[in-house]
Amino acid sequence: MAVGETVQVAPRDPDPDAEYRWRIKAAPVSSQLSLGDDPVVDFTPDAAGTFVLELTGPLGVDELTIRVFPGELAPAGRGAGSSGASGQSGMSGVSGVSGGSGISGVSGASGSGSGARGAKREGSGGRPRVTLHGRVKGDTVVVEADPQPNPNSSTPREELDVEFLVDDRWPVDDSKVEIDGWTLTMPKDAFEEKTRVHAVAIDAEYSVADAVEIRVEGTTVDFGDGARTDGGVATQSPGAKQVETGRLYEPPEWSKDITLYEIYVRGFASDDDEAENTFAAIEKRLDYLEGLGVDCLWLTPVLENDHAPHGYNIVDFYDVAADLGDMEAYQHFVDAAHDHGMKVLFDLVLNHSAREHPFFKDAYKNPDSEYYDWYEWQDNGEPGTYFDWEYIANFDHHSLEVRRYLLDAVQQWFEIVDGFRCDMAWAVPFTFWQELRDRVKSQDPDFLLLDETIPYIADFHEGMFDMHFDTTLYFTLRQVGEGHQPADAILDAIDQRTEVGFPDHASFMLYQENHDETRYIVECGDEAAFASAGALFTLPGVPMLYGGQEIGQRGRRDALAWDHAREEVQEHYEHLIETRKRTPALDFRGGIDRVDYEADSEQVTVFRRAAKGQSVVVVLNFGDAPEYVEVDAHVDGTNLVSGENVVDDGTIEVESVVVLEER
């Protein structure tokens, strides 16, 4: 983190009945900071350098090492108080402040000392990025950093600094750690069972950190399919110390090429009057979803709530809403989805409860309530909230009781599902998400964590989430569909991911609508909706369909009009899903480049995707009529989406979306 930012530090896996106390054990010479007596502390460093905080609790004394950069190196737009505490109560219209680096808990093994600089470089242009690669070479572990300047930076790549930090939660002999520029090495005997190496790239700002874990084979939980094993296990004689490495912030492998589908639980199958319960009714449509090509289901909240049909105002974080079914019915549905080859995401709400929650009702205007400290309160006695929402009340994560209550709920639902879609992630302290990630990933490294953050925040990829709502692309698709921006703006939206500092290995969920938004087809029309669908399935990321999108549904939260499904819309989505699955160039990690083209309309855009030895050119047309496009590329004439020949004498005819293999 940086001077002036705030991070909320708290005991992990807390016992609410225990006594905890923080103190500053070590600090930079110029620091005058002191901590209060509370078990959860908002830490705002006043000096650059290394702080060591000491926590005394029921299990003894623990230390937390925090590396603090000068305030001048803080990413632009991140002001004081923005790095690990929830947002301000009563906010309206501002959704999501940037957050902190989350690199606490690491020792200060420094590569360049660049963290001591006090002035920004001229023309840096924004945050750099870094990716770490770990490998085992004989008896030595090698961690190599690959820093990249911001696309808007004038700093040459070779002038970027990298600062490594070796995690001190496990014993490491720092005297054996060597750093040479962008490379850190250590002998295998420098650590015992495992360690972690973190690093940031530094220009005029510091990057989102990346991290690798180095472990003795068989001594800790496997990395899982989601971790990139750069180098793997060293070749050595029997009985020698088997060591392997893996990058920690890689999204699970299964999540990279899925088609995600959001189900609004009280509208998706409400036409079924014969099913025993809502889950059984949805289960009866799993064959349809499997045939469509869906791999993962996100259900809106299934918990007991205040009867608002969306379900986000929760009154019981441990039980299924009675109008949907019961725990047995929900578990049966999840098992059935698994039998159909689909993963299931649980919609996790950790920022607030409903005002109808019994704890809030007991606490409201009652300072003597045992639950009063569970909630944020405004000076007028009303609860803290966001956007003036009148039916919810924000939790106060300074309360150990709140943290315990929510962590126990997390554990219960983690054991049933395959991932969490995390509601209003920006409104929950960073350190709580970091604890949640460590908790679930230590049990199942392939568990998926998807954040809803509007606008998206690059720091949320650091030790918190695997996949992020691509809010910028969503907004841009709307603007293009309404004719307010040229179609090339969607490529600018993809570029913005790196411009705001997301690392290259971050994953994004692509969407054009959800339960909170007007249907795209209503707002932008049929032709734009067909092109926007093409964008979802050809741009880098994971496409998401909101239930009914694929049949031309016009109501946002209405019962789905299955009997009035539009065949041409449904066939379009079936073709797009199939095209993505069988076209290697559209792979999750496939590259994207702009392609020079000529067209008479600004509602056309062209780009190239390349991966696994294949290259394709994609042409999208958001306009009301077919367009004729010439591209600076040699392509086959067959549209991989429709199977039709769309090229005549070098000119491409495009109605909505064309995917052509490049020769």
Side-chain angles (χ1 to χ4, degrees):
M1 62 186 303
V3 172
E5 294 184 328
T6 298
V7 65
Q8 193 177 95
V9 295
R12 289 196 169 191
D13 197 23
D15 176 359
D17 296 324
E19 294 290 331
Y20 296 93
R21 183 176 179 82
W22 291 94
R23 77 177 187 90
I24 296 177
K25 180 179 180 181
V29 174
S30 60
S31 174
Q32 301 296 315
L33 195 64
S34 61
L35 302 178
D37 296 329
D38 296 325
V40 180
V41 175
D42 290 333
F43 176 75
T44 307
D46 59 349
T50 299
F51 287 79
V52 179
L53 309 188
E54 189 174 79
L55 175 67
T56 302
L59 300 180
V61 178
D62 291 289
E63 292 182 356
L64 175 64
T65 306
I66 302 178
R67 176 69 173 94
V68 180
F69 291 102
E72 293 82 357
L73 293 180
R78 292 228 318 244
S82 67
S83 100
S86 56
Q88 298 298 313
S89 299
M91 288 178 66
S92 107
V94 180
S95 58
V97 290
S98 297
S101 73
I103 56 174
S104 18
V106 291
S107 69
S110 172
S112 64
S114 54
R117 280 202 310 267
K120 289 184 181 290
R121 287 176 172 157
E122 292 295 327
S124 76
R127 299 183 80 173
R129 311 181 310 285
V130 69
T131 300
L132 295 185
H133 301 277
R135 58 190 174 90
V136 181
K137 184 178 180 181
D139 290 330
T140 302
V141 175
V142 181
V143 179
E144 295 175 313
D146 178 14
Q148 297 291 335
N150 190 283
N152 297 319
S153 175
S154 61
T155 303
R157 177 174 179 267
E158 59 271 16
E159 293 185 12
L160 293 177
D161 293 317
V162 171
E163 179 158 337
F164 291 95
L165 300 109
V166 179
D167 210 310
D168 61 6
R169 283 175 287 186
W170 302 276
V172 176
D173 185 346
D174 288 337
S175 68
K176 296 182 178 180
V177 177
E178 296 184 2
I179 296 171
D180 182 10
W182 299 347
T183 302
L184 177 147
T185 58
M186 69 174 77
K188 289 186 293 184
D189 62 6
F191 63 97
E192 296 176 3
E193 294 185 352
K194 72 173 181 179
T195 189
R196 291 175 178 174
V197 174
H198 308 250
V200 291
I202 303 175
D203 192 355
E205 303 171 8
Y206 62 83
S207 71
V208 173
D210 198 16
V212 296
E213 183 165 286
I214 307 157
R215 68 176 179 87
V216 176
E217 185 183 13
T219 59
T220 61
V221 66
D222 288 341
F223 293 124
D225 291 338
R228 181 180 295 262
T229 53
D230 300 308
V233 180
T235 302
Q236 49 203 321
S237 60
K241 189 175 184 179
Q242 301 281 333
V243 174
E244 56 188 4
T245 68
R247 193 161 61 243
L248 289 177
Y249 305 152
E250 188 83 8
E253 194 67 29
W254 67 261
S255 71
K256 296 177 180 179
D257 294 307
I258 58 172
T259 295
L260 184 56
Y261 191 97
E262 180 192 1
I263 292 177
Y264 186 71
V265 292
R266 290 176 176 83
F268 182 76
S270 57
D271 61 324
D272 190 338
D273 297 327
E274 299 180 359
E276 295 180 12
N277 54 66
T278 299
F279 297 120
I282 299 173
E283 186 176 322
K284 288 163 69 173
R285 285 202 160 92
L286 289 176
D287 286 341
Y288 158 76
L289 292 170
E290 183 179 8
L292 181 64
V294 169
D295 309 284
C296 183
L297 304 176
W298 152 29
L299 274 64
T300 53
V302 300
L303 298 178
E304 195 66 72
N305 59 82
D306 65 357
H307 306 301
H310 54 71
Y312 285 93
N313 306 341
I314 296 170
V315 300
D316 188 340
F317 284 76
Y318 292 84
D319 202 5
V320 167
D323 68 309
L324 300 179
D326 56 22
M327 285 289 293
E328 183 179 359
Y330 179 66
Q331 179 71 71
H332 192 277
F333 164 77
V334 173
D335 291 342
H338 290 165
D339 290 341
H340 283 75
M342 300 177 196
K343 306 286 189 180
V344 177
L345 303 186
F346 182 90
D347 207 325
L348 186 68
V349 181
L350 297 183
N351 168 68
H352 59 266
S353 77
R355 298 195 192 191
E356 288 299 309
H357 193 293
F359 295 171
F360 178 80
K361 293 173 71 174
D362 187 83
Y364 186 55
K365 295 187 182 301
N366 178 19
D368 295 328
S369 167
E370 64 178 303
Y371 303 111
Y372 189 81
D373 291 338
W374 283 50
Y375 293 93
E376 296 177 358
W377 298 100
Q378 302 181 61
D379 292 340
N380 62 4
E382 293 300 309
T385 185
Y386 291 94
F387 316 117
D388 299 321
W389 288 334
E390 57 182 328
Y391 299 112
I392 66 168
N394 287 355
F395 284 126
D396 188 341
H397 289 80
H398 290 90
S399 165
L400 292 185
E401 288 82 1
V402 166
R403 287 174 171 260
R404 181 77 272 155
Y405 179 77
L406 296 177
L407 286 171
D408 289 347
V410 164
Q411 185 64 35
Q412 173 179 303
W413 299 109
F414 157 79
E415 294 175 3
I416 298 174
V417 297
D418 306 289
F420 291 141
R421 177 268 184 188
C422 298
D423 184 62
M424 292 178 65
W426 53 269
V428 175
F430 277 17
T431 50
F432 193 85
W433 289 128
Q434 290 166 342
E435 178 174 2
L436 184 153
R437 180 186 178 90
D438 281 353
R439 169 182 285 264
V440 301
K441 293 287 188 177
S442 67
Q443 299 173 77
D444 180 6
D446 290 334
F447 196 82
L448 179 67
L449 295 172
L450 165 65
D451 69 341
E452 179 209 29
T453 304
I454 306 172
Y456 53 32
I457 300 171
D459 298 274
F460 274 45
H461 199 77
E462 184 182 316
M464 287 176 269
F465 296 97
D466 303 305
M467 187 184 295
H468 317 276
F469 275 45
D470 195 331
T471 53
T472 299
L473 180 64
Y474 160 80
F475 176 77
T476 304
L477 287 172
R478 293 276 171 147
Q479 291 288 295
V480 172
E482 293 172 345
H484 301 318
Q485 290 193 56
D488 284 347
I490 67 172
L491 303 181
D492 297 334
I494 299 300
D495 290 343
Q496 193 195 66
R497 298 172 181 175
T498 56
E499 290 171 1
V500 301
F502 276 102
D504 295 339
H505 46 277
S507 176
F508 295 88
M509 188 192 79
L510 315 182
Y511 66 107
Q512 67 181 33
E513 62 192 47
N514 59 34
H515 65 276
D516 285 328
E517 311 296 345
T518 305
R519 294 283 185 175
Y520 190 97
I521 204 167
V522 170
E523 191 168 304
C524 303
D526 282 8
E527 291 80 6
F530 271 57
S532 179
L536 298 182
F537 285 88
T538 57
L539 290 169
V542 173
M544 188 277 282
L545 303 182
Y546 175 42
Q549 178 178 330
E550 79 284 6
I551 62 172
Q553 178 82 10
R554 299 181 70 82
R556 179 175 56 136
R557 297 180 182 174
D558 299 350
L560 293 194
W562 293 107
D563 293 339
H564 301 281
R566 295 177 55 188
E567 184 176 347
E568 70 276 17
V569 177
Q570 192 164 345
E571 288 183 352
H572 185 59
Y573 277 99
E574 290 173 351
H575 292 157
L576 287 171
I577 292 171
E578 178 61 24
T579 299
R580 182 172 181 268
K581 288 182 180 294
R582 59 179 165 79
T583 306
L586 300 179
D587 183 76
F588 171 87
R589 293 216 175 274
I592 181 170
D593 297 295
R594 297 174 189 254
V595 174
D596 290 335
Y597 68 95
E598 292 185 6
D600 292 333
S601 171
E602 286 191 339
Q603 293 178 298
V604 169
T605 189
V606 182
F607 55 92
R608 174 183 290 107
R609 296 293 312 282
K612 300 179 179 179
Q614 184 191 49
S615 177
V616 297
V617 171
V618 179
V619 187
L620 302 177
N621 173 25
F622 287 79
D624 295 337
E627 292 290 342
Y628 297 89
V629 183
E630 295 183 4
V631 301
D632 185 16
H634 298 287
V635 294
D636 288 333
T638 302
N639 183 359
L640 299 181
V641 178
S642 66
E644 300 173 345
N645 190 302
V646 295
V647 179
D648 183 15
D649 195 25
T651 299
I652 302 168
E653 181 181 1
V654 54
E655 292 187 6
S656 58
V657 53
V658 165
V659 179
L660 303 172
E661 189 163 12
E662 197 164 11
R663 296 169 183 163

